[in-house]
Amino acid sequence: MQTEELSYAIITPYSMRKSRTGGIVGRLISRTGLDLVGGRMFAPSSELASRYAEAIVTETDPRHRATQELIRDYVLKNFTGEKNGQLIFRGPDAVEKIHRTVGHIVHERTSGETIRDTYGDYITDDAGEVTYFEPGVLAAFETEAVERDLKLWAEFSDRDGGILDHSINFPAGAKIETTLVLIKPDNFKFPNLRPGGVIEVFSRSGLHIIGFKVHRMSVAQAKEFYGPVLPVLEEKLGAKSGRENWESIVEFMAGRKPTECPPEERDRPGTEKSIAIVYQGVDAVRKIRDVLGPTDPAKAPPGSIRKEFGQTIMINAAHASDSPENAKREMAIVQVEENNFKPLIENFYRRQ
């Protein structure tokens, strides 16, 4: 049995501004077959950017070394104070699988085989001098380098990462809202493009991602999260049937029904994975829900997330808050502020 490894990919500030996050996430999951186990938004301080950049150049091959030097200079120029998304993957041979999927970046390659082929740019003039460089995604391709980098980002994850509530400059007087999206467990039954596809469609809203967390909802969290749904279902379906349907929702999100979960286990992380994403922008709640579509995929308009990815009223791809007040309540329940990025890294390498 192959030993599991961690690997990472950083979605660059430019890729995030150009709404390429969904396409990149989809390729990373579907082409590697790895488990996406962690994620966090960062706006690096100059100290973090400098320490990360200074360790990038390791290659002895002159061609790849020159590219690493470009990446080092890119980080020093573009990372400080700019938001990027850090993703952690786990599985056998994870470092090499991320390497093959991300790819090297050279100006001759335009085939789209790798993420950098598609989303990166390496443009030179007639003399061979680089005139424009955008790597699209950053990653390390050696096991020791991955461990070094992840430990560095973990060290700064409280100070420089989390919900980047003040990272975007909006026009004075704009009606700015923050809202929550949950990419539901039906998107993670096997490694596929769906999670990235959902993020891709949400990018049509024109909103900014300011928070990202891989989350396993406990039974207690699912009960509280969907608590307001219970009386609605009981009134519509009757007490018995309404509660059975509500328990099925909790089971879908957390992996167990409340009546089948001992009290001492209700606060434990569940078996089902979701991604919690915090969006911010003008009229964010309405824009996200317009793109999401109604609860029933059969009634959703073409091009909406639930029409494209939903199956039933319960298995409908994603959840989105229906008001700024509920967004605040729901974000508190799933603890979007929690830093589960740092202990994931520390615990993995401690066990190693």
Side-chain angles (χ1 to χ4, degrees), residues 71-213:
I71 293 173
R72 176 198 61 199
D73 295 343
Y74 173 91
V75 170
L76 290 172
K77 182 179 179 182
N78 295 286
F79 262 48
T80 300
E82 298 293 330
K83 65 186 180 79
N84 66 69
Q86 172 91 245
L87 305 173
I88 304 178
F89 295 86
R90 184 176 64 206
D93 206 20
V95 176
E96 178 56 27
K97 288 175 180 175
I98 291 292
H99 182 182
R100 290 198 302 265
T101 302
V102 169
H104 285 291
I105 180 166
V106 290
H107 68 281
E108 295 95 340
R109 289 286 296 274
T110 57
S111 63
E113 292 177 22
T114 70
I115 289 173
R116 283 179 170 167
D117 285 343
T118 302
Y119 297 109
D121 285 304
Y122 186 114
I123 300 171
T124 61
D125 61 19
D126 292 341
E129 294 295 318
V130 177
T131 58
Y132 179 74
F133 178 74
E134 166 54 49
V137 173
L138 300 184
F141 300 149
E142 300 291 340
T143 304
E144 296 79 9
V146 169
E147 180 176 353
R148 176 200 67 216
D149 292 346
L150 283 176
K151 287 180 175 178
L152 174 64
W153 287 88
E155 178 187 340
F156 284 83
S157 58
D158 284 319
R159 193 180 81 181
D160 292 1
I163 306 300
L164 307 180
D165 202 23
H166 304 291
S167 63
I168 312 296
N169 293 319
F170 293 104
K175 180 193 172 188
I176 305 305
E177 294 177 344
T178 301
T179 192
L180 176 71
V181 161
L182 288 181
I183 300 180
K184 290 183 176 181
D186 49 306
N187 298 288
F188 300 100
K189 297 304 180 185
F190 59 92
N192 64 87
L193 288 164
R194 283 169 56 101
V198 172
I199 296 172
E200 177 75 21
V201 179
F202 273 128
S203 72
R204 295 208 321 254
S205 68
L207 300 170
H208 300 273
I209 296 175
I210 63 166
F212 188 104
K213 178 189 178 187

Side-chain angles (χ1 to χ4, degrees), residues 35-53:
D35 189 12
L36 174 61
V37 293
R40 193 162 177 84
M41 293 296 296
F42 281 85
S45 61
S46 58
E47 181 183 359
L48 173 55
S50 296
R51 286 179 57 184
Y52 178 60

Side-chain angles (χ1 to χ4, degrees), residues 124-341:
T124 61
D125 61 19
D126 292 341
E129 294 295 318
V130 177
T131 58
Y132 179 74
F133 178 74
E134 166 54 49
V137 173
L138 300 184
F141 300 149
E142 300 291 340
T143 304
E144 296 79 9
V146 169
E147 180 176 353
R148 176 200 67 216
D149 292 346
L150 283 176
K151 287 180 175 178
L152 174 64
W153 287 88
E155 178 187 340
F156 284 83
S157 58
D158 284 319
R159 193 180 81 181
D160 292 1
I163 306 300
L164 307 180
D165 202 23
H166 304 291
S167 63
I168 312 296
N169 293 319
F170 293 104
K175 180 193 172 188
I176 305 305
E177 294 177 344
T178 301
T179 192
L180 176 71
V181 161
L182 288 181
I183 300 180
K184 290 183 176 181
D186 49 306
N187 298 288
F188 300 100
K189 297 304 180 185
F190 59 92
N192 64 87
L193 288 164
R194 283 169 56 101
V198 172
I199 296 172
E200 177 75 21
V201 179
F202 273 128
S203 72
R204 295 208 321 254
S205 68
L207 300 170
H208 300 273
I209 296 175
I210 63 166
F212 188 104
K213 178 189 178 187
V214 177
H215 185 64
R216 292 186 182 273
M217 192 177 282
S218 69
V219 169
Q221 287 175 330
K223 285 178 62 181
E224 185 178 2
F225 197 95
Y226 289 99
V229 177
L230 178 57
V232 176
L233 289 174
E234 287 179 330
E235 181 179 349
K236 184 177 180 180
L237 303 174
K240 185 175 184 295
S241 182
R243 176 163 284 275
E244 287 174 352
N245 275 268
W246 179 78
E247 290 232 349
S248 294
I249 294 172
V250 173
E251 182 183 26
F252 172 62
M253 294 301 296
R256 299 175 82 173
K257 294 180 178 179
T259 51
E260 298 172 357
C261 183
E264 66 273 14
E265 296 180 11
R266 288 176 184 169
D267 290 317
R268 295 179 185 174
T271 58
E272 299 300 318
K273 179 167 65 179
S274 301
I275 293 178
I277 304 179
V278 182
Y279 286 89
Q280 189 177 68
V282 177
D283 204 14
V285 171
R286 180 191 61 78
K287 288 179 178 176
I288 284 291
R289 290 185 67 81
D290 283 350
V291 174
L292 177 63
T295 303
D296 186 352
K299 298 177 181 178
S304 66
I305 284 168
R306 284 175 171 160
K307 190 68 171 180
E308 294 289 333
F309 302 104
Q311 300 173 49
T312 67
I313 289 175
M314 182 174 68
I315 305 173
N316 58 8
H319 165 88
S321 305
D322 61 7
S323 69
E325 295 74 26
N326 267 340
K328 187 177 294 186
R329 182 187 77 88
E330 292 168 354
M331 285 189 279
I333 293 169
V334 300
Q335 301 173 325
V336 292
E337 298 274 2
E338 175 195 23
N339 183 358
N340 61 1
F341 179 91

